Structures are given as C-alpha cells and as structure tokens.
Amino acid sequence: MARDDTNTSISEASLPDMIAELNSVLVPDEEIAQIHEFARILKEAKAERDAEHARTQEKLDRLRESVNELRESSTRAAADWHSLEAHQSHMKQMEDEKFDLAKKINEQEAALSVLETEIEDLRKESDAVENWDIEQEVGMDRSALALQLFRGMGFLPFEDGNDANAPITSLLVHSKRRNVAVSIDIDDQSINQKKLSRFDLAEQLWAAESFFILEQPKLHAISKDAIALHGNNTDGIFDHILTELRKDPKIGPTINRNSFRDASEWVFNNAGGAMGSMYIIHASITEYLIFFGTPIGTEGHTGRHTANDYFHILYGEQQAFGAGDLVAAHYPAGHMHYLPRGVVRQYMMPETGCWALELAQGTLMYLT
C-alpha cells in the first residue's frame, strides 16, 4: 500500500518561512554559553568526585595498614605455639617453683621467730644487767668501782711503795687515740708546787688522754664560713655547720644524727635566770657542743663553769659584762665570747634574737 505523504511533506516554498520562524525563537549565543556552563559544572563535579574518591581510597589504605599491623601484633608465630604436653609441663614447673617458694618462706618465718625469741632473751639479760647491783654482788665499794672505771678509761695509778694503803702519787695516762702514755704527778706536794686546783689537774688528765676531740679554732672558722655563705639565714647556718662537722672522720661519728629541724630534738634551758633553747650536737664527760639561743631575747647569769666556754655568735648579738665592768662587751655575729673556767658574767641577748654555737671543754661532771 502506498503511503500518503500529503500532510507531512514540506514544500520548498515554505522553508524560508520556517527558518525565519526558528530564528525568531532561538538565540545561538545564549545556547552556546549555557552549553559551556554545563560543561564547566560537569568538569568541576567530576574533579570533586575524583578528589573525594582519592581521599576515600587513602583512608581505606590507612585502615588496611592498621588492620594488618593489628593482625601481625595479635597473631603469634607458629613457633610460639606449644603443644598440650608442653603446656602441661610448663604448668607443672610453675607449680613446683611455687611450692619451693612457699617452703622457703616458711623456713624464713621459722628463722625469724627464733631470732625474735633470742632478741627477747637478750633484752631480758640486758635488763638484768642494768638492775645488777655490782657492789652488793662482789662486795666492792664505790672507791674500788671508781678505780676500775678510771683504769678502763686509760688512767693507771702508781702508789708510793708496796703498801696496799699507800697513797697514789702519779697516774700513767694512756691515750688510745694518740697511742702515747704520759705520767702526771698527783701527789699533794707536786700539786701545791704547781699551784694546781683540782679542776686544773682534771684538765691536764683529760688533755693527756685526748678526751677532747673538738678544736675551737676549727669551729670558729666553720662558723664564720657559714655566716659568710648564709647571712641571717639561721637554718642555712646550722645546716652548713653540721654538714662540715659530719665530714670530719674524727668528729663525724660522734655528731647527733637527728635533724635540728626536728622540734623534739630541742629542749629549753633555764640557768641563771636566762632562758633559751638548745640542740645538742655532741656531748661527753669532758666537752659538749650545742646550738643555743632565743628568737625573742633573754638575760641572766652565765653560771660558774668548771670548764672553758666558747660562745660563737651565729646570728644577732650578745652583750656581757663582769662585776666591776662599767661598759658591756658586744659580741656580734662572727665573734666569740670566751668565758674562762670559774669566771662569772651577766649576759644579755636582745629581743631581736641571738643564736650561737657553744663549746664547753673541761670537767663537766662538776658543772654548776
């Protein structure tokens, strides 16, 4: 059947009219601009999608690396795996070690119990010895005990003659520290000729036996160094002095091991109407070394010492005078107030405070 093209055919005569109509509707420049804009938008969208894809891929790579690292760290090599028999053997070994350790602990506890029992027995023996009245036990009088004590300290008496009741005329003083022996006459004739008091004689004996281990010039030098380094810082001065004393192999072992910063190491001292606080650094029957002073001031009587006293001022000032002195002597920080044996003075520490390093050497058993 032939197709009827009557309605669809366009005559050439109508084409110009149709083209003119289309030209009136279309705007070529705008259409081209829109096409370019669409192309630009598509290109930017593609670039953004590619960048997002790259970032996502980078994250996936990092995650993959992390997963691999975790897998490697959490997975033991085949060589680390043990068989059931090996595991059981290892557990048995650990049980055996545990049993041996428990056995040793029991043995140590038993040994500790024995030692504690021995310590308690020794403590009881020590208490018994302290309560033992030797005079009543051996029938020894106090003079014999004193003689035995002084012999133990290095004083060997010599009598005038072989008579048991003969007076002692001399003492051989043996100094273990210096490994020497000195003979000192103590008979009445020798003492009267030399015009010695009993305190003078005692000082000779202590010095010969080397009972003095502290040296006043050295203490004065240490005190001045401490003041130069720490000024008015009393805590620093005390610490410096003690540190230097503990370095001395002769003095160090005899120095108080407890800290001066421990309040329980300080005690009040009331003497001659004066009151202060003191920390004992060293003490024996022939000498003592202390920190003494007060932050609020005091004044009173020095006391009548049977030992020579060296008062090294560390902080503040001390004033003193003897009977008949019309002007007081002043002793500021870095100076020393020397009080010879038997000399009496009045002294004062002002309300601004004063601290000192005090050394006494002599017969302290008769100190009043």
Side-chain angles (χ1 to χ4, degrees):
M1 178 181 292
R3 186 177 59 181
D4 186 2
D5 294 329
T6 303
N7 296 326
T8 60
S9 60
I10 301 173
S11 65
E12 293 182 4
S14 62
L15 284 174
D17 295 333
M18 293 178 63
I19 291 172
E21 185 179 353
L22 287 172
N23 285 335
S24 65
V25 176
L26 298 175
V27 183
D29 294 338
E30 293 182 1
E31 299 294 338
I32 292 172
Q34 289 182 358
I35 291 171
H36 283 304
E37 180 65 19
F38 291 152
R40 185 187 65 77
I41 293 173
L42 288 173
K43 185 177 180 180
E44 291 180 354
K46 184 177 182 303
E48 184 176 354
R49 184 191 64 184
D50 292 342
E52 182 66 25
H53 176 73
R55 290 194 294 270
T56 304
Q57 186 64 38
E58 185 179 356
K59 291 181 180 179
L60 288 174
D61 293 340
R62 288 200 299 266
L63 288 173
R64 189 177 294 108
E65 291 177 0
S66 298
V67 169
N68 291 335
E69 291 177 359
L70 288 172
R71 184 179 293 111
E72 290 176 0
S73 63
S74 61
T75 304
R76 292 186 298 175
D80 295 335
W81 290 89
H82 299 288
S83 64
L84 179 60
E85 292 77 8
H87 179 71
Q88 291 176 343
S89 176
H90 183 66
M91 292 296 295
K92 184 177 183 303
Q93 181 181 356
M94 292 181 65
E95 288 292 334
D96 292 341
E97 292 177 356
K98 179 181 177 182
F99 176 78
D100 292 339
L101 182 59
K103 182 179 178 182
K104 290 179 180 179
I105 290 175
N106 289 334
E107 292 174 352
Q108 293 296 326
E109 288 179 347
L112 178 62
S113 178
V114 172
L115 289 175
E116 289 177 345
T117 302
E118 292 179 356
I119 291 173
E120 183 62 27
D121 292 341
L122 290 173
R123 186 179 291 110
K124 292 179 180 178
E125 292 180 7
S126 176
D127 293 339
V129 169
E130 290 182 359
N131 296 326
W132 180 32
D133 189 347
I134 187 172
E135 292 185 37
Q136 183 177 2
E137 183 74 16
V138 300
M140 187 180 296
D141 60 19
R142 293 187 179 276
S143 298
L145 279 176
L147 183 61
Q148 183 174 339
L149 173 63
F150 281 105
R151 280 176 175 169
M153 295 168 62
F155 300 109
L156 303 179
F158 284 88
E159 294 86 3
D160 186 10
N162 296 324
D163 187 357
N165 296 321
I168 298 174
T169 58
S170 64
L171 284 176
L172 182 64
V173 184
H174 176 226
S175 173
K176 295 181 180 179
R177 184 175 291 108
R178 293 185 298 159
N179 196 26
V180 296
V182 179
S183 179
I184 297 179
D185 295 329
I186 62 171
D187 60 287
D188 292 339
Q189 182 178 355
S190 298
I191 292 175
N192 292 332
Q193 286 179 350
K194 297 177 182 178
K195 298 181 179 180
L196 296 176
S197 68
R198 59 174 181 169
F199 302 117
D200 294 324
L201 178 61
E203 279 202 353
Q204 285 190 7
L205 295 174
W206 299 138
E209 213 283 337
S210 297
F211 268 100
F212 299 151
I213 65 171
L214 298 171
E215 300 175 12
Q216 182 274 322
K218 182 175 181 179
L219 292 176
H220 190 57
I222 293 175
S223 298
K224 295 187 72 172
D225 289 343
I227 295 169
L229 287 171
H230 300 283
N232 291 329
N233 181 2
T234 311
D235 184 277
I237 293 174
F238 287 175
D239 186 71
H240 179 87
I241 292 174
L242 291 174
T243 299
E244 292 301 311
L245 292 178
R246 291 189 176 108
K247 290 180 182 178
D248 192 310
K250 180 179 70 172
I251 302 174
T254 70
I255 299 301
N256 187 351
R257 297 181 180 179
N258 298 324
S259 173
F260 71 90
R261 297 185 178 94
D262 182 356
S264 64
E265 289 295 312
W266 290 83
V267 294
F268 279 121
N269 178 60
N270 286 278
M275 181 174 181
S277 179
M278 70 177 183
Y279 167 84
I280 299 175
I281 301 173
H282 166 87
S284 69
I285 63 173
T286 59
E287 60 187 341
Y288 70 72
L289 184 67
I290 64 174
F291 288 136
F292 176 82
T294 170
I296 61 174
T298 188
E299 68 91 18
H301 191 284
T302 60
R304 190 179 301 278
H305 294 264
T306 56
N308 294 318
D309 191 85
Y310 308 89
F311 210 69
H312 304 86
I313 308 301
L314 304 176
Y315 171 85
E317 180 189 67
Q318 184 193 52
Q319 300 180 24
F321 83 100
D325 296 340
L326 302 182
V327 179
H330 293 253
Y331 303 95
H335 290 69
M336 182 190 72
H337 178 190
Y338 171 56
L339 185 69
R341 181 187 65 250
V343 174
V344 179
R345 293 184 182 131
Q346 179 186 2
Y347 75 95
M348 184 272 290
M349 293 177 169
E351 294 181 356
T352 52
C354 178
W355 293 98
L357 176 69
E358 182 181 6
L359 168 68
Q361 291 181 318
T363 308
L364 301 184
M365 292 180 291
Y366 299 103
L367 199 62
T368 58

